Amino acid sequence: MKAFSIEHETKEIQELDITMAANSVYTFFSSILIDELPTLNKHIIYTDANALSEKKTPYFLGEQLIVGDALILGREDFNDVDALITQEDLSALLNLHVNDFYTEVLALLCSSDINLYKTFTVEKNGEKIALNVEWVLYTFNIADERTKEYFINELKKVVNAHESIEAYMQKMAQLAMNVAG
C-alpha cells in the first residue's frame, strides 16, 4: 500500500510501500499510543501520541500541528487505502516554521501527559462543541501579543502548581468560545 512518512528530525518525506496488518501502524511508531488526524482530505495522518513528552520536533502539515514522525495513508470510509496525494503536494503543505508561541507552550506541555488531539467539550449557546488542545493553541496563537502572554503566564502557573493542564485548556477553550460571540 502506498503511504508517506515524515521524519520529525529531518522533515524528509519518504514514499513507502507498506503491507497493512492489524499492528502495522503500531509497529511503525514502536508504540501502542497512536493519534489519528483526519485533516487531509481523503487521508489519515497517524502520529505517535508520546511524541510531545519525548520532546520530538514539531512542524505543520497545512494548518495541522504535528509533533514527531507522521505516517500518511489514504482513507476511504473507515479503511486505510493507498495515499492519493502526491509527494510534491505533501511537500507544499509542509511548514517547518514553528513560532515562539508554539515553541514555548509545547516546551511547557512536554512534561505533562496531555494529548494535543484528545477532545473535550465546551458549550456555546447551549450547544456542546468538541475541541482539543491543538485547537486551543491555534486559537491563542492568532490572538494579540498581550493575550498570548497571558495564556503562557497562566499555563506556567498551572504547570508549576501541578494542576490539571487539561482543565486549564478546557477553560481557555471556553473563554475563546465566549469571546467569539
Side-chain angles (χ1 to χ4, degrees), residues 95-114:
N95 178 357
L96 307 179
H97 177 70
V98 177
N99 67 28
D100 292 340
F101 173 79
Y102 276 105
T103 302
E104 190 168 352
V105 170
L106 292 174
L108 289 167
L109 296 179
C110 73
S111 63
S112 73
D113 62 353
I114 194 88

Side-chain angles (χ1 to χ4, degrees), residues 160-178:
N160 291 336
H162 304 290
E163 294 175 358
S164 171
I165 294 173
E166 186 171 345
Y168 172 75
M169 291 295 175
Q170 190 168 3
K171 175 184 164 187
M172 291 295 106
Q174 187 64 62
L175 288 174
M177 292 303 283
N178 293 348

Side-chain angles (χ1 to χ4, degrees), residues 31-142:
S31 175
I32 59 169
L33 298 174
I34 305 298
D35 287 316
E36 295 182 19
L37 312 173
T39 51
L40 278 178
N41 188 28
K42 297 184 180 181
H43 288 81
I44 190 78
I45 304 168
Y46 291 106
T47 63
D48 181 359
N50 293 316
L52 179 61
S53 63
E54 293 173 358
K55 300 179 183 177
K56 292 189 177 175
T57 309
Y59 54 94
F60 292 93
L61 194 56
E63 298 287 321
Q64 178 71 61
L65 175 66
I66 307 284
V67 179
D69 298 338
L71 178 66
I72 299 138
L73 292 162
R75 181 55 67 100
E76 189 174 295
D77 298 320
F78 293 102
N79 300 313
D80 293 333
V81 296
D82 287 327
L84 302 171
I85 193 167
T86 66
Q87 190 164 350
E88 294 76 27
D89 288 344
L90 199 54
S91 292
L93 292 174
L94 193 61
N95 178 357
L96 307 179
H97 177 70
V98 177
N99 67 28
D100 292 340
F101 173 79
Y102 276 105
T103 302
E104 190 168 352
V105 170
L106 292 174
L108 289 167
L109 296 179
C110 73
S111 63
S112 73
D113 62 353
I114 194 88
N115 182 301
L116 297 176
Y117 313 107
K118 180 182 171 198
T119 59
F120 50 78
T121 58
V122 297
E123 285 194 30
K124 181 171 177 141
N125 301 326
E127 180 183 347
K128 291 189 182 288
I129 300 170
L131 299 173
N132 61 30
V133 172
E134 195 264 345
W135 180 89
V136 174
L137 300 185
Y138 174 83
T139 301
F140 279 86
N141 179 59
I142 60 176

